Amino acid sequence: MAVTADFRITWTLAGHGWADCAVEANAAKAELTASYITSAAEDLLTAVARLVAGEPETRVQFEAEPTAFRWIFYREEDAVWLRLLELRHGGEHDNAGTELWSGTLSVDGLARAVVRCFDEVATVYGESGYRGKWGEHFPRSELEALRRIWQAHRSAEDP
């Protein structure tokens, strides 16, 4: 199973209550949209933290009214298989979705990409600027929880 090494996520506030999220790896790019009607950023950070902590499967859904973007994570040992799906409506089954990207990542690589993404968001917008554009608080507690779990995971790997 080949692990993607150059995985990157960007989160750009596109307008009040809207964010564009890009996932890039191996010269392929998937673009997703999220609306603030759900806790997209918080849900993504929490899902990745749960994976790092050892959960074998988790999901996140970004609502783009009516389109939805579903992240499906499967963990086996230190590898995570990620599928990104676009669905016409959020309630549809995975099989109704169009796969935008899939690949295998290391747990460490996934956590690093997500932490870097939201550290960059905090730097670019600041926490008050984020709230002004997104309409909700910056997900500081979820970001710091992921950072702590990731650091503990890395410490356990390198005693």
Side-chain angles (χ1 to χ4, degrees):
M1 171 176 2
V3 174
T4 301
D6 65 343
F7 186 70
R8 179 171 163 74
I9 300 173
T10 55
W11 181 269
T12 307
L13 298 177
H16 186 74
W18 291 94
D20 294 324
C21 181
V23 173
E24 299 176 72
N26 300 334
K29 183 175 184 178
E31 296 187 4
L32 300 79
T33 301
S35 164
Y36 75 129
I37 64 167
T38 60
S39 302
E42 293 88 338
D43 293 347
L44 179 59
L45 288 158
T46 299
V48 173
R50 289 172 28 200
L51 282 168
V52 173
E55 197 162 305
E57 180 182 338
T58 190
R59 296 163 168 261
V60 176
Q61 185 158 300
F62 292 177
E63 294 294 337
E65 307 171 47
T67 303
F69 297 93
R70 191 170 295 153
W71 303 61
I72 306 169
F73 301 93
Y74 301 100
R75 179 179 175 170
E76 187 174 312
E77 297 177 13
D78 197 43
V80 176
W81 179 43
L82 168 59
R83 292 182 69 209
L84 295 174
L85 304 177
E86 180 177 357
L87 300 123
R88 286 188 328 223
H89 299 283
E92 292 181 327
H93 190 277
D94 293 348
N95 292 340
T98 301
E99 188 171 279
L100 300 177
W101 187 88
S102 71
T104 303
L105 314 162
S106 68
V107 170
D108 185 64
L110 173 62
R112 179 184 303 109
V114 174
V115 167
R116 282 184 179 165
C117 170
F118 284 96
D119 280 347
E120 187 175 300
V121 168
T123 299
V124 169
Y125 299 101
E127 295 195 23
S128 63
Y130 181 92
R131 181 174 170 85
K133 271 195 94 112
W134 180 246
E136 297 294 335
H137 290 287
F138 179 79
R140 175 61 59 195
S141 61
E142 292 85 356
L143 175 58
E144 294 310 320
L146 171 56
R147 192 184 320 274
R148 281 189 306 275
I149 291 167
W150 177 42
Q151 289 170 344
H153 171 77
R154 293 177 72 197
S155 295
E157 285 185 335
D158 302 320

